[in-house]
């Protein structure tokens, strides 16, 4: 890796990230972001295609030396959140902000594209650049990018996520499962409305719903191996509108996070069975809408080892083993198709006040982390090509 060239690209990386931060776009709406990325890649002479639809970009850089095809991915979407930071690059779009670092990911991959475009005579094989929309919402943008040909001919894939819970200067990943699968469920409890002073003449859906919240806690504690990480969370319960009216309907919404497909299936069955039986016990009816989301993100063992080795070669960066984490990532779909590794790159810095978690209205990153992430992606690609030369 040409360290001097990479450092030369840092100012443009920061400028592009801040531009994208000022102009965020929600999932499946990233038209201006797509145009921004295409314009820069066209100036670099990168071969382009759009994948499936008019958002998202697939770029290809073919080196002058023979080798494999390495894919690198960045997500581009923002969140429906009001930016509360006081800085010159704060979001200019009311109610929308980059609160997860995807603006940084896009800027990083653009810098990597420029790096390899300048190094074609030394580049072994091919670099596939995947600028993906809609990571934040199911069904996600990864599937449509795959359907659009993003992985055609690809031998391995790498992705990074700027991660503020980790201090800048550290990167972390894990062999096998790193991030959880994510499912969502919505439960409707149907009772019989009535007067708050005459409950014996009604069927209280709120009482049945409250009982169901407690019953669902037993799904993890009494149905799953204690050594198998699982989360079942009820994030919302809504029923009724007046203090003296027994509500006819109560609605619950929740999420399920786990790492094993067998566990995932068990949890769904338990939720559906408990809902039906609990509602019946209170004289109510029920229905469950269960939405299967992203699968667990499972890194290739050998590519994780590559990460640990190459991280040592990136200036001012150290690689570590990460614990499994419950957030989900649709990068998991790519890893179901080809081997690869997803890496968390530290972007937090208490000294700079960069301490807010992802999806927080004051979220920000230490922009020095972008240099680490770009260097890591480049080194991973070069290491793979060298090994398979």
């Amino acid at each position: 890796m040409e360290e001097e060239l990479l450092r030369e690209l840092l100012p443009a990386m920061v400028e592009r990230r801040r531009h994208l931060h000022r102009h965020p776009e929600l999932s499946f709406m990233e038209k201006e972001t797509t145009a921004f990325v295409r314009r820069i890649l066209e100036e670099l002479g990168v071969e382009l295609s759009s994948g499936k639809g008019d958002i998202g970009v697939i770029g290809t850089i073919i080196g002058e030396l023979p080798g494999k095809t390495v894919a690198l991915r960045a997500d581009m979407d923002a969140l429906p959140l009001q930016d509360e930071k006081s800085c010159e690059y704060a979001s200019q779009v009311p109610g929308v902000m980059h609160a997860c670092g995807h603006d940084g990911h896009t800027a990083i991959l653009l810098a990597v594209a420029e790096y390899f475009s300048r190094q074609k005579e030394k580049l072994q094989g091919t670099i596939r650049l995947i600028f993906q929309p809609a990571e934040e919402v199911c069904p996600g943008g990864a599937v449509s990018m795959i359907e659009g040909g993003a992985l055609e001919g690809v031998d391995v894939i790498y992705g990074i996520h700027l991660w503020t819970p980790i201090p800048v200067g550290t990167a972390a990943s894990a062999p096998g499962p790193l991030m959880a699968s994510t499912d969502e469920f919505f439960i409707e409890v149907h009772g019989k409305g009535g007067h708050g002073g005459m409950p014996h003449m009604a069927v209280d859906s709120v009482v049945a719903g409250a009982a169901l919240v407690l019953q669902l806690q037993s799904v993890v504690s009494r149905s799953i191996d204690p050594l198998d990480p699982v989360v079942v969370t009820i994030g919302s319960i809504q029923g009724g509108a007046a203090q003296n009216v027994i509500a006819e309907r109560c609605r619950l919404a929740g999420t399920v996070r786990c790492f094993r497909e067998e566990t995932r299936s068990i949890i769904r069955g338990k939720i559906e069975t408990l809902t039906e039986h609990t509602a019946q016990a209170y004289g109510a009816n029920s229905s469950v809408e269960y939405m299967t989301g992203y699968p667990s993100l499972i890194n290739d063992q050998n590519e994780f080892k590559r990460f640990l080795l190459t991280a040592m070669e990136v200036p001012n960066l150290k690689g570590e083993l990460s614990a499994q984490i419950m957030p989900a990532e649709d990068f998991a779909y790519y890893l179901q198709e080809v081997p690869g590794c997803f890496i968390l790159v530290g972007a937090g810095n208490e000294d700079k006040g960069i301490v807010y978690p992802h999806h927080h209205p004051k979220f920000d990153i230490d922009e020095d982390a972008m240099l680490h992430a770009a260097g890591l992606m480049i080194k991973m690609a070069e290491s793979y090509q060298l090994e398979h030369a």
Side-chain angles (χ1 to χ4, degrees):
M1 181 177 70
E2 300 287 343
E3 294 176 16
E4 186 176 339
L5 171 57
L6 183 57
R7 286 195 169 276
E8 183 184 326
L9 298 175
L10 180 59
M13 205 175 346
V14 171
E15 182 182 347
R16 290 164 183 165
R17 181 256 166 171
R18 294 186 176 189
H19 168 83
L20 293 169
H21 202 86
R22 294 187 196 97
H23 306 284
E25 294 178 295
L26 294 174
S27 304
F28 294 112
M29 300 174 65
E30 304 96 324
K31 290 187 176 181
E32 292 302 318
T33 304
T34 293
F36 177 79
V37 169
R38 289 187 67 91
R39 185 164 57 251
I40 293 171
L41 294 179
E42 285 171 352
E43 291 172 356
L44 295 173
V46 176
E47 177 185 324
L48 300 181
S49 65
S50 297
K52 187 178 180 180
D54 59 353
I55 52 175
V57 183
I58 301 170
T60 301
I61 303 172
I62 302 174
E64 295 183 9
L65 302 175
K68 300 288 187 176
T69 298
V70 178
L72 306 172
R73 175 269 209 169
D75 40 14
M76 306 190 298
D77 53 330
L79 288 156
L81 200 64
Q82 180 62 42
D83 195 342
E84 295 181 2
K85 292 191 301 300
S86 296
C87 60
E88 58 89 13
Y89 54 85
S91 172
Q92 297 177 9
V93 182
V96 183
M97 75 169 288
H98 275 289
C100 205
H102 297 186
D103 51 340
H105 302 168
T106 303
I108 289 163
L109 194 53
L110 285 170
V112 172
E114 186 165 354
Y115 177 93
F116 282 122
S117 293
R118 294 194 192 182
Q119 299 280 310
K120 281 186 180 181
E121 72 283 355
K122 299 178 183 179
L123 175 60
Q124 294 175 284
T126 298
I127 301 296
R128 178 71 45 76
L129 308 161
I130 304 173
F131 292 87
Q132 177 206 305
E135 186 278 328
E136 293 288 0
V137 298
C138 290
V143 172
S144 64
M145 296 301 286
I146 293 169
E147 291 174 349
L151 294 183
E152 287 183 6
V154 167
D155 297 292
V156 71
I157 186 167
Y158 304 120
I160 56 92
H161 202 306
L162 298 172
W163 202 244
T164 57
I166 300 175
V168 66
T170 302
S173 189
L178 172 64
M179 303 180 76
S181 62
T182 176
D183 299 332
E184 299 175 350
F185 59 90
F186 305 89
I187 298 171
E188 291 274 359
V189 179
H190 306 270
K192 180 182 177 183
H195 195 290
M198 295 184 287
H200 59 292
M201 298 182 66
V203 175
D204 196 331
S205 66
V206 171
V207 171
L212 184 54
V213 171
L214 297 178
Q215 288 293 327
L216 289 174
Q217 305 312 302
S218 69
V219 170
V220 174
S221 65
R222 291 298 178 267
S223 301
I224 305 299
D225 185 336
L227 300 180
D228 187 2
V230 179
V231 169
V232 176
T233 295
I234 308 298
S236 172
I237 177 169
Q238 300 174 339
Q243 80 282 359
N244 60 349
V245 176
I246 291 175
E248 186 167 341
R249 294 189 176 189
C250 182
R251 179 175 172 86
L252 289 72
T255 185
V256 175
R257 308 293 173 106
C258 64
F259 292 94
R260 298 173 62 241
E261 285 300 314
E262 180 182 358
T263 302
R264 200 177 187 187
S265 178
I266 291 171
I267 292 171
R268 177 173 184 168
K270 290 291 184 180
I271 289 174
E272 292 172 343
T273 300
L274 272 175
T275 296
E276 180 182 1
H277 292 173
T278 303
Q280 287 178 352
Y282 285 85
N285 297 315
S286 64
S287 62
V288 179
E289 180 186 0
Y290 200 97
M291 299 176 60
T292 301
Y294 305 158
S296 177
L297 187 151
I298 301 175
N299 283 325
D300 181 82
Q301 301 275 343
N302 290 330
E303 296 311 319
F304 167 74
K305 293 177 184 177
R306 187 184 311 282
F307 151 69
L308 287 180
L309 291 173
T310 56
M312 294 188 297
E313 300 177 17
V314 177
N316 304 313
L317 185 67
K318 63 177 180 178
E320 295 182 347
L321 174 66
S322 173
Q324 294 178 335
I325 59 175
M326 286 299 177
E329 242 286 349
D330 75 345
F331 191 84
Y333 289 117
Y334 299 112
L335 293 175
Q336 288 184 333
E337 303 294 326
V338 295
C341 190
F342 192 72
I343 303 159
L344 307 174
V345 178
N349 192 328
E350 290 187 8
D351 293 339
K352 295 181 179 180
I354 300 172
V355 296
Y356 293 99
H358 294 253
H359 296 206
H360 189 282
K362 291 186 178 181
F363 175 85
D364 205 352
I365 60 168
D366 185 332
E367 291 172 329
D368 289 343
M370 296 195 295
L371 190 63
H372 300 153
L376 190 55
M377 293 186 100
I378 291 167
K379 287 298 299 182
M380 292 285 286
E382 290 179 341
S383 170
Y384 184 87
Q385 294 288 16
L386 184 62
E387 180 182 332
H388 294 86

